[in-house]
Amino acid sequence: MSSQSDESMSVAPTTLPTTPDAIELRHLRAFVTVAEELNFGRAAARLYVSQPALSRQIRALERLIGCDLLRRTTHQVELTLAGEALLDRARRILEGVDEAVVATRAVGGELLAHITRYWELLGAADAELHAMRTAYEDLHAQFPAPPEISIRPITAGGVSSLLLTPARPDAGTVLYLHGGGYIAGSAFGYRALAGALTAAANTTTLVLDYRLAPEHPYPAAVEDALRGYRWLLETGTDPGRITLTGDSIGAHLILCTLLRIREEQLPMPAAAVLLCPGIDLHCPEPSESEPAPEPAQARFHQRIIGDYLAGHSDDNPFVAPLLADLTGLPPMLIQASTGDNHLTDAHRLTDHARAHDVAISLELYPVDTHNFHIFWSFLPEAADALRAAGRFIQDHTADIHAHPRVRPSA
């Protein structure tokens, strides 16, 4: 064959248009079900939708693809050649999605079991502190931070911290106080969860590495949180753009910090978000409708009382927020899971805050573990909760005026 002939065959491949982004799985599932039944009534019954709704889904798919997939007559439904070409491929797509969901749920169950083992380690009577802290860090290390979030170390008011920033942050700022029972947890370990919240709220987030007990008992953590808040104010952050956020015992620390902010007559932040709050350090008995605490968790709470309080009175309002006057505190959002043995804390705090005219909302999610937000990367309820928390933060820190950003020091 001549070189000219070779050149004539070297034709650039035709670029096909990409599949329309608007095609949804329900469109494909509707088509496959109708194609298998060749009857809209039976297909609608299988999918638990009305026949008109099913017909609209098929029509939407045909418009998006650009050709007819079914021939409809008064007495029958038939596949077109295009429909036959799509059917097996659509089945494979749906099967792949179903397999992915099953695999993800299996992983999710494994990780939920992992947190149960973590509680067992934390609550072991003879657990060594370093092993407990390592177990907590290992749990969080399984989840990467969102890649679009920039993370760098920073010192905030003398407290080692991490500053998390999305590509184009809004004016709001989150001060994040991590969980871990005052004896475990770190800013580094929490970069994944804090990063997910940063992405959801599109705000700058300061994650404090506050001092831990028993090396630094009460009030060290509260003092560090207050230093971090003062630093935000001193570096030009409008308090009306700040949201205090924390999970588990971090929510307890938020309330204690807010009470100190009020006592020192500092300007209040715009809002607070409490994720699966652990408010009562004594872990009170749950109601009949709530799960009882595991023995390991009960032992862990006893350890908190000993290591964190270190002899301080447990009826001090800065230790027991449920005994404090909450008047003047900012609007709050509480998120908890229905299977959380701290659910009593969430309900009690909601009632207590409303009794002091604090605007507070309680959102419940059908999950069977405490601190479920940790699993945001694979647990739909956790991802939904963080999106809702992000909207709450945006709603309470939005302003049409320009706002000075956090100006971090090295």
Side-chain angles (χ1 to χ4, degrees):
M1 185 178 292
S2 66
S3 58
Q4 184 177 1
S5 297
D6 290 339
E7 291 177 1
S8 65
M9 295 183 66
S10 300
V11 179
T14 302
T15 301
L16 296 175
T18 59
T19 302
D21 291 337
I23 291 179
E24 301 177 13
L25 288 177
R26 65 192 178 103
H27 295 148
L28 294 179
R29 202 172 297 277
F31 165 70
V32 169
T33 305
V34 172
E36 291 174 346
E37 295 289 347
L38 293 179
N39 182 286
F40 271 79
R42 291 194 297 268
R46 276 179 56 182
L47 295 174
Y48 300 99
V49 298
S50 67
Q51 290 189 45
L54 182 61
S55 181
R56 286 194 297 271
Q57 292 177 16
I58 298 296
R59 291 294 189 192
L61 179 61
E62 290 175 328
R63 285 196 301 271
L64 291 167
I65 291 178
C67 59
D68 291 337
L69 302 172
L70 300 168
R71 293 191 192 92
R72 306 163 181 80
T73 67
T74 305
H75 303 291
Q76 63 183 2
V77 178
E78 295 179 346
L79 283 170
T80 65
L81 290 177
E84 291 177 357
L86 177 62
L87 180 57
D88 286 340
R89 292 171 175 84
R91 281 183 176 137
R92 288 197 294 270
I93 291 172
L94 294 173
E95 288 170 358
V97 170
D98 291 341
E99 289 174 1
V101 170
V102 170
T104 300
R105 286 176 174 169
V107 172
E110 179 182 345
L111 291 174
L112 291 173
H114 192 135
I115 199 169
T116 300
R117 292 194 295 271
Y118 149 73
W119 276 116
E120 291 173 351
L121 177 58
L122 288 183
D126 58 348
E128 194 267 329
L129 183 60
H130 176 71
M132 293 167 59
R133 289 174 174 171
T134 299
Y136 200 42
E137 293 299 308
D138 287 346
L139 173 69
H140 286 272
Q142 297 178 67
F143 313 107
E148 69 272 20
I149 302 300
S150 170
I151 304 174
R152 70 184 184 92
I154 194 172
T155 299
V159 182
S160 296
S161 309
L162 290 180
L163 192 69
L164 282 59
T165 312
R168 294 180 178 83
D170 291 335
T173 299
V174 169
L175 176 61
Y176 195 96
L177 305 176
H178 67 76
Y182 287 123
I183 62 176
S186 69
F188 181 78
Y190 265 82
R191 67 194 186 281
L193 177 54
L197 180 65
T198 298
N202 196 40
T203 59
T204 299
T205 299
L206 180 68
V207 188
L208 292 184
D209 220 358
Y210 59 84
R211 290 171 291 171
L212 301 177
E215 299 92 336
H216 305 283
Y218 172 82
V222 182
E223 291 174 346
D224 287 353
L226 198 58
R227 287 192 186 101
Y229 185 70
R230 284 185 178 275
W231 179 83
L232 288 174
L233 300 180
E234 292 166 358
T235 52
T237 307
D238 182 350
R241 300 299 185 83
I242 300 175
T243 303
L244 268 58
T245 304
D247 64 286
S248 192
I249 209 68
H252 179 274
L253 181 54
I254 284 175
L255 292 173
C256 297
T257 303
L258 289 172
L259 293 172
R260 283 288 303 275
I261 289 172
R262 187 185 64 185
E263 181 186 55
E264 300 194 13
Q265 298 184 354
L266 296 172
M268 277 287 172
V273 175
L274 314 179
L275 310 178
C276 293
I279 303 301
D280 192 336
L281 299 186
H282 288 91
C283 193
E285 290 295 324
S287 68
E288 293 181 0
S289 63
E290 295 164 348
E294 295 291 336
Q297 289 179 300
R299 290 193 297 270
F300 181 52
H301 277 81
Q302 290 302 316
R303 184 161 190 166
I304 291 174
I305 292 172
D307 289 350
Y308 178 64
L309 294 184
H312 287 85
S313 172
D314 59 6
D315 60 1
N316 180 337
F318 295 110
V319 170
L322 291 174
L323 301 178
D325 180 355
L326 304 184
T327 303
L329 268 56
M332 299 182 190
L333 169 66
I334 298 177
Q335 293 182 339
S337 62
T338 55
D340 188 351
N341 47 45
H342 285 280
L343 186 56
T344 298
D345 287 21
H347 284 298
R348 292 175 67 199
L349 176 59
T350 301
D351 294 340
H352 189 61
R354 286 174 178 164
H356 292 90
D357 296 322
V358 176
I360 191 166
S361 299
L362 172 61
E363 296 178 352
L364 298 180
Y365 293 83
V367 184
D368 291 331
T369 184
H370 175 59
N371 230 6
F372 71 97
H373 298 81
I374 293 172
F375 306 118
W376 61 270
S377 61
F378 70 88
L379 188 65
E381 292 83 356
D384 290 344
L386 288 178
R387 281 192 289 268
R391 289 192 296 270
F392 177 86
I393 292 169
Q394 290 176 335
D395 290 344
H396 286 80
T397 56
D399 195 304
I400 61 174
H401 302 294
H403 169 68
R405 305 288 184 184
V406 175
R407 295 192 296 273
S409 58

